[in-house]
Amino acid sequence: MMKHIAPDYYPQFRCIAGECRHNCCIGWEIDVDEDTLRYYQSLEGEMGERLRKNIDFSADPPHFILSENERCPFLNDRNLCDLILEKGEGALCQICDDHPRFYNDFSDHVEAGLGLCCEAAGRLIIGKKEKMQLICLEDGEEVPDAQEQALCDLRDTLMNIAQDRALSIDARMAQVLAHAGAALPQATMADWAQFLMQLEQMDPAWQGHLQQLHKQEIVWPDAAWDTAFEQLLCYFLYRHMPGALQDGCVGERVAFAVLSVQVIRALCGMREKVQIDDIVEISRMYSSEIEYSDENVDALLDALIQE
Ligand code: SF4
């Protein structure tokens, strides 16, 4: 049995389905994994026929054919999934079953987390008052790999710095960068806004936020929100540092975590009076536009190359 680790808020996640303002069944291409495809192909009756009619089998990998307004064909007008209503959650394909959970695999353990692009997950992550801790969901007996262990130890240290509430969030981010031997390039938020405007975008509202960020003077949110940004910093470090085991970009990934928090903070600062809903919504948008696009993450990592 492989050990499973997750942030302590992980088990509390519940999808809010019909109440969700940015339902993940709208606007995203949903690929169907091979096992589920076999199940859908063998399913008899009306639902089986409907499934087969609404999957593009010629695509690689096959995926659901979205409607004109980019809705999943099984999302009904109450924003509930007909497939779940009729066949239960066990009938979902892997992506739908997992979302918004993500997994990072190590030789001796699996790390799970909740993605910020889901507003219910964002509310759990950002609204948490206590310091986030990693918990063991399942124990295992595999032996850790030395290089992986070194990265996890560095990440633990950086997350402890991020959670040092005796310091301001700015001081914590500066110490996180210094401890990792990383730095952000000399650039203003207006420069970053311009950079982000050139990347691939999904929602036109994102462009509007970036244009505002490009033009306006930054007013950083009040220190009362430092805990919310601490949770975001820990989220980005936890989720994105393991990628360095593949690409070796430890400093770039730490800088990416800090820059992501700074962009979200700067966008929140443009609101007249910051509310938790603003931080959740801006984080959701940042995550959907940047974090969930491999191309955009790579572009940022390239821009953050450490000398
Ligand atoms: S984005 Fe999150 S809360 Fe909304 S429908 Fe998807 S999983 Fe549920």
Side-chain angles (χ1 to χ4, degrees):
M1 177 74 75
M2 192 74 101
K3 190 171 174 175
H4 275 63
I5 305 280
D8 50 3
Y9 50 73
Y10 183 86
Q12 295 163 34
F13 175 74
R14 298 286 174 276
C15 169
I16 52 173
E19 307 292 308
C20 183
R21 283 172 302 171
H22 298 279
N23 197 298
C24 56
C25 313
I26 305 171
W28 300 85
E29 190 173 282
I30 306 160
D31 296 337
V32 185
D33 56 286
E34 278 178 28
D35 287 349
T36 313
L37 202 65
R38 269 196 293 276
Y39 166 63
Y40 290 166
Q41 273 167 326
S42 69
L43 202 63
E44 292 177 356
E46 229 174 272
M47 183 51 87
E49 267 173 49
R50 190 173 158 197
L51 276 161
R52 289 184 286 279
K53 240 188 1 209
N54 283 289
I55 292 174
D56 180 353
F57 288 94
S58 62
D60 185 21
H63 54 74
F64 288 112
I65 302 164
L66 300 185
S67 69
E68 248 172 51
N69 44 7
E70 302 222 298
R71 292 171 68 89
C72 171
F74 292 90
L75 189 65
N76 67 27
D77 49 14
R78 288 177 296 143
N79 274 357
L80 297 174
C81 173
D82 281 344
L83 193 51
I84 297 183
L85 292 176
E86 193 167 313
K87 297 284 171 199
E89 294 201 0
L92 291 178
C93 62
Q94 195 64 49
I95 285 187
C96 295
D97 195 30
D98 282 349
H99 190 82
R101 297 165 190 85
F102 66 84
Y103 302 97
N104 281 324
D105 293 321
F106 292 74
S107 347
D108 67 319
H109 71 278
V110 177
E111 292 185 350
L114 300 173
L116 205 51
C117 68
C118 158
E119 64 185 67
R123 194 165 286 281
L124 262 184
I125 298 166
I126 296 163
K128 186 172 166 59
K129 294 282 171 260
E130 307 80 30
K131 294 178 184 180
M132 183 277 277
Q133 289 178 359
L134 296 179
I135 55 167
C136 184
L137 298 176
E138 262 172 40
D139 218 346
E141 285 156 11
E142 309 286 331
V143 181
D145 166 90
Q147 196 197 354
E148 291 178 1
Q149 190 60 50
L151 186 89
C152 291
D153 290 346
L154 172 64
R155 189 183 59 181
D156 283 350
T157 307
L158 299 184
M159 291 202 294
N160 282 336
I161 297 171
Q163 293 176 326
D164 181 356
R165 295 183 179 179
L167 301 175
S168 70
I169 193 70
D170 283 304
R172 290 184 242 173
M173 286 193 282
Q175 281 201 15
V176 162
L177 287 169
H179 192 88
L184 290 179
Q186 291 288 339
T188 63
M189 262 306 143
D191 296 333
W192 284 116
Q194 194 157 34
F195 178 85
L196 295 174
M197 276 193 267
Q198 290 159 12
L199 302 183
E200 182 194 53
Q201 290 167 29
M202 294 194 328
D203 181 349
W206 177 238
Q207 178 78 0
H209 288 310
L210 294 176
Q211 274 168 353
Q212 222 182 330
L213 186 62
H214 182 59
K215 283 195 228 128
Q216 281 187 8
E217 204 181 312
I218 306 295
V219 182
W220 296 106
D222 198 272
W225 294 108
D226 279 7
T227 300
F229 296 113
E230 161 196 314
Q231 303 293 3
L232 284 175
L233 185 54
C234 288
Y235 164 85
F236 284 113
L237 290 169
Y238 174 69
R239 180 168 190 170
H240 292 281
M241 280 184 71
L245 292 166
Q246 273 79 53
D247 61 21
C249 299
V250 180
E252 288 81 352
R253 286 175 177 274
V254 173
F256 171 76
V258 171
L259 178 66
S260 299
V261 175
Q262 285 296 67
V263 170
I264 294 170
R265 275 182 85 211
L267 288 167
C268 290
M270 293 187 322
R271 303 288 163 111
E272 214 162 283
K273 192 172 181 310
V274 183
Q275 308 278 348
I276 180 106
D277 283 352
D278 299 321
I279 309 181
V280 172
E281 171 55 11
I282 290 167
S283 302
R284 182 203 64 77
M285 207 181 241
Y286 177 86
S287 176
S288 308
E289 296 286 338
I290 305 296
E291 203 191 9
Y292 274 75
S293 157
D294 290 345
E295 215 173 282
N296 288 352
V297 171
D298 286 348
L300 267 172
L301 291 177
D302 282 348
L304 292 167
I305 283 181
Q306 308 290 304
E307 298 303 324

Short mmCIF file of all heavy atoms in Angstrom, two decimals, residues 13-18 20-25 99-100 117-121, ligand 1:
data_model
loop_
_atom_site.label_atom_id
_atom_site.label_comp_id
_atom_site.label_asym_id
_atom_site.label_seq_id
_atom_site.Cartn_x
_atom_site.Cartn_y
_atom_site.Cartn_z
N PHE A 13 -13.81 18.52 1.59
CA PHE A 13 -14.33 19.02 0.31
C PHE A 13 -15.67 18.40 -0.06
O PHE A 13 -15.85 17.18 0.00
CB PHE A 13 -13.33 18.78 -0.82
CG PHE A 13 -13.91 19.17 -2.15
CD1 PHE A 13 -14.04 20.52 -2.48
CD2 PHE A 13 -14.38 18.22 -3.05
CE1 PHE A 13 -14.62 20.90 -3.68
CE2 PHE A 13 -14.96 18.59 -4.25
CZ PHE A 13 -15.08 19.93 -4.56
N ARG A 14 -16.61 19.24 -0.46
CA ARG A 14 -17.88 18.77 -1.04
C ARG A 14 -18.18 19.64 -2.25
O ARG A 14 -18.13 20.88 -2.16
CB ARG A 14 -19.06 18.95 -0.05
CG ARG A 14 -18.94 18.17 1.24
CD ARG A 14 -19.21 16.64 1.05
NE ARG A 14 -18.94 15.91 2.30
CZ ARG A 14 -17.75 15.49 2.71
NH1 ARG A 14 -16.68 15.69 1.96
NH2 ARG A 14 -17.61 14.85 3.86
N CYS A 15 -18.50 19.02 -3.37
CA CYS A 15 -18.89 19.78 -4.56
C CYS A 15 -20.24 20.45 -4.29
O CYS A 15 -21.14 19.82 -3.72
CB CYS A 15 -19.00 18.81 -5.74
SG CYS A 15 -19.79 19.53 -7.19
N ILE A 16 -20.38 21.72 -4.69
CA ILE A 16 -21.65 22.41 -4.44
C ILE A 16 -22.57 22.34 -5.67
O ILE A 16 -23.63 22.97 -5.71
CB ILE A 16 -21.44 23.86 -3.96
CG1 ILE A 16 -20.52 24.64 -4.93
CG2 ILE A 16 -20.88 23.89 -2.55
CD1 ILE A 16 -20.41 26.13 -4.62
N ALA A 17 -22.14 21.61 -6.69
CA ALA A 17 -22.95 21.26 -7.88
C ALA A 17 -23.81 22.41 -8.40
O ALA A 17 -23.28 23.39 -8.90
CB ALA A 17 -23.77 20.02 -7.59
N GLY A 18 -25.12 22.30 -8.28
CA GLY A 18 -26.04 23.29 -8.85
C GLY A 18 -25.85 24.70 -8.30
O GLY A 18 -26.27 25.67 -8.92
N CYS A 20 -22.92 26.06 -7.87
CA CYS A 20 -21.61 26.55 -8.30
C CYS A 20 -21.76 27.59 -9.41
O CYS A 20 -22.44 27.36 -10.40
CB CYS A 20 -20.79 25.36 -8.81
SG CYS A 20 -19.14 25.81 -9.29
N ARG A 21 -21.07 28.75 -9.24
CA ARG A 21 -21.20 29.82 -10.25
C ARG A 21 -20.34 29.55 -11.48
O ARG A 21 -20.55 30.09 -12.54
CB ARG A 21 -20.79 31.17 -9.63
CG ARG A 21 -21.85 31.75 -8.73
CD ARG A 21 -21.33 32.94 -8.00
NE ARG A 21 -20.14 32.59 -7.21
CZ ARG A 21 -19.35 33.48 -6.61
NH1 ARG A 21 -19.59 34.75 -6.73
NH2 ARG A 21 -18.32 33.08 -5.89
N HIS A 22 -19.29 28.74 -11.32
CA HIS A 22 -18.37 28.47 -12.44
C HIS A 22 -18.20 26.97 -12.57
O HIS A 22 -17.11 26.44 -12.37
CB HIS A 22 -17.04 29.17 -12.22
CG HIS A 22 -17.18 30.64 -12.16
ND1 HIS A 22 -17.28 31.41 -13.28
CD2 HIS A 22 -17.28 31.48 -11.12
CE1 HIS A 22 -17.42 32.68 -12.94
NE2 HIS A 22 -17.44 32.74 -11.62
N ASN A 23 -19.30 26.32 -12.85
CA ASN A 23 -19.33 24.87 -12.90
C ASN A 23 -18.22 24.31 -13.79
O ASN A 23 -18.01 24.79 -14.91
CB ASN A 23 -20.71 24.48 -13.45
CG ASN A 23 -21.03 23.07 -13.18
OD1 ASN A 23 -20.33 22.20 -13.65
ND2 ASN A 23 -22.09 22.84 -12.43
N CYS A 24 -17.52 23.29 -13.30
CA CYS A 24 -16.40 22.73 -14.07
C CYS A 24 -16.89 21.89 -15.25
O CYS A 24 -16.07 21.36 -16.00
CB CYS A 24 -15.49 21.92 -13.16
SG CYS A 24 -16.36 20.63 -12.27
N CYS A 25 -18.22 21.73 -15.39
CA CYS A 25 -18.75 21.01 -16.56
C CYS A 25 -19.07 21.99 -17.69
O CYS A 25 -19.76 21.64 -18.65
CB CYS A 25 -20.00 20.23 -16.18
SG CYS A 25 -19.79 19.29 -14.67
N HIS A 99 -11.94 15.44 -10.32
CA HIS A 99 -11.96 16.91 -10.23
C HIS A 99 -12.68 17.39 -8.98
O HIS A 99 -13.75 16.89 -8.68
CB HIS A 99 -12.63 17.51 -11.48
CG HIS A 99 -12.46 18.98 -11.54
ND1 HIS A 99 -11.34 19.59 -12.03
CD2 HIS A 99 -13.27 19.98 -11.10
CE1 HIS A 99 -11.48 20.90 -11.91
NE2 HIS A 99 -12.63 21.17 -11.34
N PRO A 100 -12.17 18.37 -8.23
CA PRO A 100 -10.99 19.19 -8.50
C PRO A 100 -9.72 18.68 -7.82
O PRO A 100 -8.80 19.44 -7.56
CB PRO A 100 -11.41 20.53 -7.89
CG PRO A 100 -12.17 20.11 -6.66
CD PRO A 100 -12.87 18.84 -7.03
N CYS A 117 -9.02 26.08 -8.94
CA CYS A 117 -9.95 26.51 -10.00
C CYS A 117 -11.40 26.16 -9.65
O CYS A 117 -12.31 26.56 -10.37
CB CYS A 117 -9.57 25.89 -11.34
SG CYS A 117 -9.83 24.14 -11.34
N CYS A 118 -11.58 25.44 -8.56
CA CYS A 118 -12.94 25.12 -8.09
C CYS A 118 -13.27 26.06 -6.93
O CYS A 118 -12.51 26.17 -5.97
CB CYS A 118 -12.97 23.67 -7.63
SG CYS A 118 -14.30 23.29 -6.47
N GLU A 119 -14.41 26.75 -7.04
CA GLU A 119 -14.69 27.77 -6.01
C GLU A 119 -14.94 27.16 -4.62
O GLU A 119 -14.60 27.77 -3.62
CB GLU A 119 -15.86 28.67 -6.43
CG GLU A 119 -17.19 27.99 -6.57
CD GLU A 119 -18.26 28.93 -7.11
OE1 GLU A 119 -18.14 29.35 -8.27
OE2 GLU A 119 -19.20 29.24 -6.36
N ALA A 120 -15.49 25.94 -4.58
CA ALA A 120 -15.72 25.31 -3.26
C ALA A 120 -14.38 24.94 -2.63
O ALA A 120 -14.18 25.10 -1.42
CB ALA A 120 -16.60 24.08 -3.43
N ALA A 121 -13.44 24.48 -3.46
CA ALA A 121 -12.09 24.17 -2.94
C ALA A 121 -11.40 25.45 -2.50
O ALA A 121 -10.78 25.52 -1.43
CB ALA A 121 -11.28 23.46 -4.03
S1 SF4 B 1 -16.11 23.68 -9.86
FE1 SF4 B 1 -16.05 22.54 -7.89
S2 SF4 B 1 -17.96 23.04 -6.80
FE2 SF4 B 1 -18.20 23.67 -8.97
S3 SF4 B 1 -19.21 21.92 -9.97
FE3 SF4 B 1 -16.98 21.66 -10.24
S4 SF4 B 1 -16.26 20.40 -8.49
FE4 SF4 B 1 -18.34 21.18 -7.99
#
